[in-house]
Every structure is written in C-alpha cells, then in structure tokens.
Amino acid sequence: MGFPLDIFKKDPDKYFILNYAPIFAKLNDFEKILIMQKSKVVEYNKGDSIYRQGEPPSAFYCVISGRVRIFTQPQSAPGGPAHHFPGSGINTGKVTLEYLNCGKYFGMISVLTGEQHSVNAEAANDSKILELTQEDFKIILHKIPKLAIDLSQTLSRRLKKKDYIEKRIFESNIISIFSAVAKTGKSIYAINLALSLKKETARSVILINIAEDERGVYRDFGAQASRENGADALCTVKLDASFPSEDSIKSAICVDSPSGVSIVNVMYESANLSYAARLNAFLTYLTGSYHYIIVDMPALTEEAIFNILNQSDAIHVITGYDRGDLKSLKSLLSYLFKKINYPQEKIKIILNAQEEPLRLSHKEAADILNYNVFAVLPYLKEQYRRPATAAKRIVWESPELEYVRCVRRIARELGDVRVGLALGGGAAFGLAHIGVLKVLEKENMPIDMVAGTSMGGLIAALWTSGLSAEEVERIFLAYNNNRRKTYGLLFDFYIHKMSIAKGGKIRKFLERHIGSKTFQDVNIPLRIVACNITKRKEVIYSSGRLVDAVMASIAIPGVFAPTKIDNDLIIDGGIVEPVPIGTLVRMGIKKIIAVNVLPSPDDAIRNYAFKHELREEEKKAAQLKNAWGRLIFRIRSGFYDCLFPNIMDIIVGSIQAMEYVIAESDCQKADILMHPIENGVDWIDFFKVEMLIKKGEEEAVKTLSAIKSVLNE
C-alpha cells in the first residue's frame, strides 16, 4: 500500500487489482508501477467477446470487476453452417469451462506459446479488464522473474493434456496426499477430500489409490479388496512396459454411485526404474477429463515417490502429534524443498489428531516443524476410521462431524468456490451488519471467510467467535434507545494528546463477550483491517487475540486512542480499506458479498433534508403548546445547537466522506453489494440499534435472489 495517492486518483482500478490480486499482491511498488505503466483498463459490456477460439494471441488479461465466461464451441465443418457467437441468440453447443471473477487471469497460454486461442472468452456481465499486450507482457516477465515463476504454475495446470484431446477442462489440479509414516489417517483424508470436492464444486473428481500390494486395493470407499478376489477384480491399472489403452483405462475406472467420484487403483512398482515417468504420463492423461485428481500416495520415502510428488500442483502432508514423527517430518520437509521445484507454499501441512487427549498443542506442533500449519483435523472416533466399513464415506454419511466441516473448508478452498463476506466500517451505521447476518444465517448461506473493517470488524469478531446473529443482536439491544448507557460505553473521557476517549470500556465490553479467543478459535476464518498510520500502510490481522485486533481497527482518529505497536501507531482500518473487498480478493475468495454502510453524498443530502423537516415539524408542534412547553423546546433546541455539530462530527464526517470515495470504487469488484442506509441516523447514534438492524435485514432480504443466483452459478 505504498503507492502515492495521486496514482490511486488517476487509476483506482489498476491500484486495486495490483494491490489485491494474489498474482500481483507480493510485488514491490516499483514492479507494480511498471505494470501500471504498461497496462490499460478496458471495459466490456455483457455478452461482448474478448477473444474467440482460433484467433491469434492478443493479450494477457486480468479481471478487475465483473465476470468472464470461458467456453469452447464446435468449429464449423468445411461447407457446414457457420456457428454464431455470443449475442446471436442461437444455441450452438457451447460448453462452459469456467467463470472468472476479480483477480483471475487468462489468455496467458496463447501469449506465451504464440498459438491460437483454444477457448472463447466473453463478458458474462459488464466487466473491467486489465490488459497487457503480448509484447509488454513478455517485457514484464523478463523484468520481474518471480512473476514468471508464479505464472508457470498456472500455465502447467492449464497446459496439461492440451495436445491429447479437445479442451474440456480449463484447469486441472493434481493434489497428492502424502505421509512419511503409516497410520496418520492419510487415506481417510484423501477419500473424504475427494468426496467433498465433488460435493462442493459439482466438478469431475478422480481418486487414484497407489497401492503397495493387493491388500491396499479397493473398489469404493467402503469395500477393500479381499485376498480371494485379488487386485485384478477391482478397478486396477498396471503400468507395465506399454501405456494402457484408452479402453483398458476406462474399464478400470469405477464410479462411486452415491457421490459420482471416480476411483482407480494403480499398483506401485518400486523396482521399476521407469515407474515414476509412466505414472506421471498416466496422471497427465487424466487431466484432460478431470478437474481434480487426488492421489493417495504410499507412506514411503523413495526416489520414485518424490519424482511423482514433483509433478503435483499441491502436496498435502498428513502428520499426527507425536513429537518423534514431527521431528522426522521436519527433516523430510528440508529434503522435499530440495526435490520439489516450486514454491514451498505448495506444500501444505495438515495436523491430524489420532488420539485424545493430544500430546501436544497445535502451537507446540507447529513450533517443532518450524513451518506453517495449513489445517488441523480433529480426532475421529474409531467407528469412523475402520478401513473395511462404509463409514469411510463420512462426508456423505456424517456431515455434522467437526472433521467433515474441516475437510469441507479445505475442499472449498481447493475448489475455488469460497464465498467471502466483507463488512465495512461506518461507526453506528455498522449496526446494520447484524441484520444482514441474521438473514444470511437464516437462509443458511455458505460463508467461508469474513473480513471486517472498524465497526464491521467488531461485528464480524463477535459473530465468528461463536455467537449467533440473534445473540449479537440481543447484546446490542440492551443499548437500544438508551443514550446515557450507550455514551457511557463509548466514552471514557481522558486528557490525552491523541484522542478524547481511551476505549477502555469498549475493550471490557468485547472481553466480556469474546474473552481471550484468538483468530485460531473462530468458527469461520476471519481477517480484520487496520491502518498503520506511522508507515501509511494497511495492516491485516489474522492471528493473535480478537479483542486486540478489533480495538486497533475501531480507533477512529481523534476519537479513540490508537494502538501502539513498537513505535508504530495503528488506527481505524477504514482509512485504507473502508470495505475490505480487496482483503478477500487477496485471499483468493471466489465470490464476494459486500456490505457498505457509509452514506453516499446523496444519502447525506436526504438525511439532512429528513432531519430539517423533522425539526420543522417539532417546531410547529411546539408552537401549539403553552408558554412553558415553548420554553422547553427553545432550551432543548439551543442546547442541541451548542453541541452539534461538534469537532468529532467534523472529523468523522470528513473521514467518512473520503472513505466513501474509496469504498465506491472497491465495491464495484464485489459480486453482491448491499447498502443499508437509514434516514435520521448519524455516525454517533449507536443507541438506534433496532432501527439499524431492521434496515440491514430489509436490504439483505431484497438481495437474496441475487445472492442465490450468484452462488448457484
């Protein structure tokens, strides 16, 4: 966030995408400025063609806002009828491969290879696209090598199988499930990850079980092979001297009837020097037909295994909490990093509890590994871990288990189907977030991550910490229409050079309802946005105590005391990201629901007119009263005019006016936007709880059909 402010003013769309799109976010400011100089922003209307199948390379594209549909279309046969492209109104057998949203990029293969486009790209709705010409894109890759390395991983996933068959899969992913030791729950995890990916994405999934011997072969997720039947009786492929024929591969692949997941067993041949190359060819063959290929690897540390891992797009390493196993894994990781030729973040460590109580805490296990833990799987009772029972299919049979919920979260991230909720700042206006949460909760909308700024961060922390939306509502209703109690909570006035309130009472309020919970204790992954005013940059809280993060995020300049970390001052996150859509984009969230509670200039005008009319009505009513009643009205009016607007109103109003400009631009990148604004409410009116919650509910109900439409795409 180090760009000069004038760059944001000139190119807010470029500024947003280069700061928050995962592919660009890690670049330094000089590299981002180079891309800004070379690129342009192009607007497309719904249905416009960006490029067509068979056309020559054009540019590298990255979606800023809107959505892009990637699809294939049968080419016209010689002398046959011409196929009509988008907008013709004729169904010509288009096959949709993917919808791309904010932060996703395309057109890369043709630009790099010089080949014609193998798919069509069109605007699914009104869209803004960052475009780099073929020449400029190659210049940038030459000057920014780390960008080329990151892009090469996507290039690999999209090029697989390209030369074998007609393109049916836009991007295929090979995920290897590996463990250095036996009995870590590796196979149960692999099976249920495959099931969950199928359930959450509705895409093609195949589970490849690499069996060391006949005992490890199975047909489906509940019936392993018996010695009597032998391996050949059960969905098995042998990679001998010649590559299996297409017919033999098809006959060996079984389909699990309840889930639709394909299964195939491959016998492991450690003595065969060419085995790894043959298996990799087999995996490449399958990428033409499957979006996700889950490979259940043997618990072996052999060269052939490492060669296979090297071809994977992601490696999930499963481990328990045994201290000795963790130390061995740490050594193995060092070895893997030397063997695997792509970024270390592709290796995901998953802690799987195999006993209760745990010998070590999650933090102790992570400290031993000295590596980030990607996910933690809770203890699974023995009845669900018996290999010969149908209970292996626990994603389908027992969806209420915490283990299943954890696997589901992993699958939704891998499947790129996560839904994010961005709750913006806005002081008292932020109480409307509670009403939005009530509706989303009632409708059982899947929310995979929440990001909150200022008041949005406070509400998000309460909700994700385990409280229901109705429980959060009850907490705040205790202050409804009670100015004295509300202001008593907000302001503990003290003499200080940086603010008029310390915020100690708010901290106690939060500790009463959240306690000492950390980001690791939340029910839904959470990010809270604050601003390092000393260094003029954004701060994203994702670890530590929730209360500390909220206190930093709600520190309105001049009103509440900033948080001090070392010599840096941390203040209200709305200064840099009033509605944290960019934070969700950076986390790779596919679909974003945003709630902007900041009043627009038109809202401010309507609110002024509403309050002016209200005062005029009160004045007329006072004229009808007796002398005492008129005197009381004049005293109250004079008292109000003396207090309002005050310096805090001017400070907060000025800040919110600037924040709205940023929010308006950022909110264009959201898939769904809610703007619950109620007349007659000011930033300080935290006591108008019921009114604001009701407004949030009304706005959420109005957008329900649009939300469901976006989530069902």
Side-chain angles (χ1 to χ4, degrees):
M1 300 296 293
F3 284 174
L5 184 60
D6 62 328
I7 291 182
F8 169 77
K9 291 178 179 177
K10 291 178 183 177
D11 292 297
D13 293 316
K14 289 184 183 180
Y15 178 90
F16 178 91
I17 204 66
L18 292 175
N19 272 294
Y20 294 112
I23 192 64
F24 300 127
K26 294 180 182 179
L27 302 181
N28 62 43
D29 289 346
F30 295 106
E31 293 166 338
K32 291 176 182 177
I33 290 173
L34 173 64
I35 296 174
M36 290 190 80
Q37 292 170 342
K38 296 286 186 183
S39 63
K40 63 179 179 179
V41 176
V42 180
E43 296 188 23
Y44 292 89
N45 295 322
K46 181 178 180 180
D48 285 352
S49 175
I50 300 171
Y51 59 73
R52 296 181 178 182
Q53 193 172 337
E55 289 183 345
S58 42
F60 171 87
Y61 305 88
C62 184
V63 182
I64 298 174
S65 63
R67 292 177 306 124
V68 172
R69 179 191 179 202
I70 304 296
F71 65 96
T72 57
Q73 188 170 22
Q75 300 297 297
S76 298
H83 287 283
H84 294 265
F85 280 86
S88 67
I90 300 175
N91 184 354
T92 57
K94 300 174 186 176
V95 178
T96 299
L97 303 179
E98 188 68 83
Y99 282 97
L100 305 178
N101 66 331
C102 180
K104 304 299 181 183
Y105 48 91
F106 57 104
M108 175 177 60
I109 294 176
S110 296
V111 167
L112 292 178
T113 64
E115 298 178 359
Q116 296 177 340
H117 289 297
S118 59
V119 296
N120 299 278
E122 72 172 17
N125 49 23
D126 294 349
S127 303
K128 289 183 181 179
I129 310 292
L130 182 82
E131 295 187 6
L132 281 162
T133 65
Q134 185 175 20
E135 181 181 354
D136 286 336
F137 182 60
K138 290 182 177 180
I139 291 172
I140 286 170
L141 292 185
H142 178 72
K143 292 187 176 182
I144 312 176
K146 60 185 175 183
L147 182 60
I149 293 172
D150 288 342
L151 287 170
S152 68
Q153 307 311 311
T154 303
L155 183 65
S156 172
R157 293 194 297 272
R158 295 182 186 177
L159 275 175
K160 287 169 184 167
K161 194 60 180 168
K162 182 175 178 292
D163 297 327
Y164 287 84
I165 59 175
E166 181 184 353
K167 195 174 185 75
R168 296 197 301 266
I169 305 295
F170 182 65
E171 186 172 301
S172 183
N173 288 268
I174 299 174
I175 301 117
S176 289
I177 315 301
F178 175 70
S179 178
V181 295
K183 297 182 179 180
T184 59
K186 170 180 65 67
S187 291
I188 295 177
Y189 171 74
I191 288 168
N192 285 283
L193 179 63
L195 288 166
S196 198
L197 273 168
K198 180 66 177 179
K199 190 174 184 179
E200 297 300 327
T201 68
R203 293 184 171 184
S204 53
V205 180
I206 187 169
L207 172 66
I208 300 176
N209 175 44
I210 302 180
E212 295 181 58
D213 53 42
E214 295 178 3
R215 292 171 298 178
V217 175
Y218 52 80
R219 180 184 300 277
D220 62 21
F221 303 137
Q224 285 191 315
S226 64
R227 290 180 179 274
E228 291 77 16
N229 291 335
D232 290 335
L234 300 172
C235 315
T236 304
V237 168
K238 288 187 177 180
L239 302 176
D240 48 23
S242 60
F243 191 82
S245 67
E246 187 167 346
D247 288 341
S248 65
I249 291 174
K250 287 181 178 178
S251 64
I253 296 175
C254 300
V255 178
D256 179 60
S257 56
S259 65
V261 172
S262 297
I263 316 159
V264 66
N265 295 283
V266 177
M267 302 306 299
Y268 180 64
E269 302 172 24
S270 58
N272 190 332
L273 297 178
S274 62
Y275 177 79
R278 290 175 183 170
L279 180 60
N280 287 331
F282 179 64
L283 295 176
T284 302
Y285 174 85
L286 293 174
T287 58
S289 301
Y290 296 95
H291 291 93
Y292 301 101
I293 300 170
I294 310 299
V295 186
D296 188 359
M297 302 288 292
L300 301 171
T301 54
E302 298 180 358
E303 195 68 24
I305 298 296
F306 296 141
N307 287 336
I308 297 165
L309 292 175
N310 195 36
Q311 302 303 314
S312 305
D313 299 302
I315 302 170
H316 289 193
V317 181
I318 314 299
T319 182
Y321 286 81
D322 180 79
R323 192 178 294 272
D325 289 347
L326 289 168
K327 289 181 178 179
S328 298
L329 177 57
K330 182 180 180 180
S331 300
L332 177 63
L333 285 174
S334 299
Y335 182 70
L336 281 175
F337 295 151
K338 296 175 184 177
K339 286 285 181 182
I340 305 300
N341 297 323
Y342 55 66
Q344 292 184 10
E345 57 263 27
K346 296 292 183 180
I347 297 179
K348 310 291 188 184
I349 303 299
I350 297 176
L351 291 173
N352 191 13
Q354 294 294 293
E355 60 183 2
E356 283 189 322
L358 295 175
R359 301 180 188 181
L360 301 169
S361 68
H362 304 158
K363 185 178 184 305
E364 288 172 328
D367 289 343
I368 291 173
L369 289 171
N370 193 29
Y371 192 81
N372 289 332
V373 174
F374 174 65
V376 175
L377 300 177
Y379 176 71
L380 197 58
K381 293 181 180 179
E382 180 65 26
Q383 68 191 82
Y384 301 107
R385 292 190 286 127
R386 293 178 190 138
T389 66
K392 265 190 167 182
R393 201 185 283 107
I394 58 174
V395 163
W396 288 78
E397 306 289 343
S398 307
E400 76 283 355
L401 294 178
E402 183 60 29
Y403 182 95
V404 173
R405 285 194 284 267
C406 290
V407 174
R408 177 180 180 271
R409 282 197 289 268
I410 296 170
R412 287 181 65 82
E413 180 171 349
L414 281 174
D416 196 22
V417 293
R418 290 184 297 169
V419 176
L421 178 63
L423 302 181
F429 304 117
L431 289 168
H433 292 315
I434 301 171
V436 172
L437 292 177
K438 284 180 66 180
V439 174
L440 295 180
E441 204 174 78
K442 180 181 178 182
E443 295 292 327
N444 200 27
M445 294 293 179
I447 303 297
D448 298 285
M449 179 173 283
V450 183
T453 295
S454 194
M455 188 62 178
L458 188 151
I459 300 297
L462 289 167
W463 189 55
T464 60
S465 69
L467 296 171
S468 68
E470 287 190 353
E471 288 173 325
V472 176
E473 179 183 37
R474 281 197 294 271
I475 289 170
F476 284 95
L477 282 176
Y479 299 87
N480 189 48
N481 293 326
N482 192 329
R483 290 175 186 253
R484 179 177 296 180
K485 185 177 181 180
T486 301
Y487 294 156
L489 171 66
L490 293 175
F491 300 113
D492 44 358
F493 293 100
Y494 76 133
I495 300 174
H496 194 275
K497 62 182 180 181
M498 289 190 286
S499 65
I500 62 171
K502 190 175 183 179
K505 292 183 180 180
I506 298 177
R507 177 177 286 274
K508 289 179 180 177
F509 166 85
L510 291 170
E511 288 174 342
R512 185 162 66 249
H513 297 291
I514 296 177
S516 58
K517 288 185 177 180
T518 70
F519 281 84
Q520 283 65 48
D521 299 319
V522 295
N523 294 343
I524 302 172
L526 172 67
R527 299 292 183 269
I528 292 179
V529 180
C531 171
N532 183 327
I533 194 63
T534 305
K535 296 178 178 175
R536 305 292 197 277
K537 67 178 185 179
E538 189 177 49
V539 177
I540 307 296
Y541 284 94
S542 60
S543 62
R545 296 179 73 244
L546 293 175
V547 171
D548 294 337
V550 172
M551 290 304 298
S553 184
I554 65 173
I556 301 173
V559 180
F560 297 117
T563 295
K564 194 169 185 179
I565 299 178
D566 297 328
N567 292 319
D568 293 350
L569 295 177
I570 313 299
I571 63 169
D572 194 302
I575 301 297
V576 286
E577 197 182 11
V579 184
I581 296 166
T583 295
L584 294 174
V585 172
R586 184 183 290 157
M587 297 304 300
I589 297 300
K590 175 81 170 181
K591 297 171 182 176
I592 297 174
I593 301 169
V595 187
N596 179 15
V597 296
L598 291 168
S600 68
D602 288 341
D603 293 326
I605 292 170
R606 281 193 295 269
N607 191 45
Y608 174 82
F610 178 85
K611 290 194 293 183
H612 178 74
E613 184 178 343
L614 189 63
R615 289 197 69 181
E616 287 298 314
E617 289 177 359
E618 291 175 347
K619 185 176 181 180
K620 290 178 182 178
Q623 297 301 321
L624 300 176
K625 296 181 180 180
N626 56 27
W628 181 248
R630 293 193 296 272
L631 177 61
I632 292 176
F633 173 77
R634 285 196 295 271
I635 293 172
R636 287 177 59 187
S637 296
F639 183 73
Y640 180 88
D641 292 337
C642 287
L643 292 180
F644 304 101
N646 53 47
I647 187 170
M648 288 193 299
D649 295 321
I650 294 170
I651 291 173
V652 175
S654 301
I655 291 171
Q656 289 190 345
M658 292 185 290
E659 288 178 352
Y660 181 80
V661 175
I662 301 173
E664 186 179 33
S665 174
D666 288 359
C667 285
Q668 294 178 18
K669 287 79 178 179
D671 297 281
I672 297 293
L673 174 63
M674 300 184 212
H675 192 214
I677 299 297
E678 184 64 79
N679 282 329
V681 179
D682 289 321
W683 73 273
I684 194 64
D685 292 344
F686 288 90
F687 54 87
K688 295 183 178 180
V689 179
E690 189 173 4
M691 176 192 299
L692 287 163
I693 291 176
K694 183 180 179 182
K695 187 64 179 180
E697 287 185 76
E698 291 172 353
E699 184 72 11
V701 169
K702 282 196 301 185
T703 57
L704 266 181
S705 59
I707 294 173
K708 291 177 180 179
S709 176
V710 168
L711 297 189
N712 290 332
E713 289 175 347

